[in-house]
């Protein structure tokens, strides 16, 4: 039996919806990443902070306690697209945790940027020695279910 985890970051809830949909079909464990310093409320405020972090390649510290990842065969990693890339908190997550031996299955949300456009920044965050399996931009429950079925990731 395979064991899987969903780790995701979500500010306004779209990636949370995607993560919970994936959970429905995979029965994975699930963890929402929270930054040590909360983002301000209100779109214009938090988008300003987020874009600044992207420009600065900031190190965004994580408050959430992350378990030993070796117990998981698959780790779904979900993120909103920020400035065409993975948000900086995703870089911290990969830098601070040992993903070796697990397969990372990424999923993104965005207004318009494709998953493929975020792949370069994701690979840079993941680093060498960790395999990335496929990946997709979440656009609804049916699409996510079809994707998971195609890759035999439903339980
Ligand atoms: C700082 C910031 C930068 C963003 N950059 C992009 C972008 O480059 N391309 C895009 O399509 N959407 C962009 N968005 C929109 C988000 O990716 C989109 O609304 C996402 O689904 C939000 O996910 P969440 O509700 O889980 O936080 C950006 C949003 C923020 C706050």
């Amino acid at each position: 039996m395979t064991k899987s985890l969903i780790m995701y970051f979500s500010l306004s809830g779209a990636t949370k919806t995607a993560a919970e949909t994936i959970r429905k079909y995979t029965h994975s464990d699930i963890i929402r990443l929270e930054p040590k310093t909360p983002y301000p409320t209100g779109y214009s405020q938090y988008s300003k902070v987020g874009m600044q972090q992207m420009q600065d390649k900031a190190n965004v510290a994580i408050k959430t306690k992350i378990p030993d990842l070796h117990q998981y065969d698959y780790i779904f990693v979900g993120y909103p697209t920020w400035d065409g890339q993975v948000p900086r908190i995703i870089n911290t997550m990969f830098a601070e945790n040992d993903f070796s031996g697990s397969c990372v299955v990424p999923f993104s949300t965005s207004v318009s940027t494709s998953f493929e456009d975020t792949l370069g920044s994701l690979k840079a965050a993941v680093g060498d020695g960790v395999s990335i399996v496929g990946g997709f931009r979440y656009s609804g429950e049916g699409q996510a279910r079809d994707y998971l079925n195609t890759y035999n990731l439903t339980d």
Side-chain angles (χ1 to χ4, degrees):
M1 223 188 95
T2 58
K3 200 173 171 196
S4 56
L5 171 70
I6 302 163
M7 272 212 283
Y8 70 97
F9 170 62
S10 179
L11 210 45
S12 53
T15 314
K16 180 173 189 271
T17 299
E20 286 171 352
T21 304
I22 291 170
R23 184 190 204 184
K24 180 170 161 186
Y25 292 103
T26 60
H27 299 100
S28 310
D29 294 342
I30 191 162
I31 294 176
R32 182 178 188 163
L33 294 172
E34 302 278 0
K36 262 197 183 125
T37 308
Y39 288 90
T41 46
Y43 181 79
S44 66
Q45 296 304 309
Y46 69 66
S47 55
K48 210 187 291 170
V49 173
M51 286 304 283
Q52 193 64 49
Q53 289 176 345
M54 298 308 295
Q55 274 162 27
D56 296 346
K57 299 197 185 311
N59 180 21
V60 177
I62 298 173
K63 182 174 81 178
T64 315
K65 195 166 161 25
I66 297 175
D68 181 5
L69 300 178
H70 289 111
Q71 60 188 304
Y72 296 106
D73 304 293
Y74 291 97
I75 303 175
F76 295 91
V77 172
Y79 53 88
T81 305
W82 280 10
D83 199 18
Q85 303 171 61
V86 298
R88 294 298 301 173
I89 195 170
I90 298 294
N91 296 70
T92 309
M93 185 193 73
F94 281 108
E96 291 183 348
N97 295 279
D98 183 5
F99 282 74
S100 61
S102 308
C103 288
V104 170
V105 187
F107 61 98
S108 66
T109 67
S110 71
V111 172
S112 59
T113 303
S114 69
F115 166 75
E116 288 71 22
D117 282 353
T118 68
L119 196 50
S121 66
L122 176 73
K123 282 183 176 162
V126 172
D128 296 331
V130 177
S131 49
I132 301 176
V133 182
F136 65 106
R137 174 179 175 269
Y138 178 82
S139 61
E141 178 164 348
Q143 171 250 15
R145 189 194 54 225
D146 290 349
Y147 177 87
L148 295 166
N149 278 330
T150 306
Y151 281 86
N152 281 322
L153 292 168
T154 49
D155 76 348

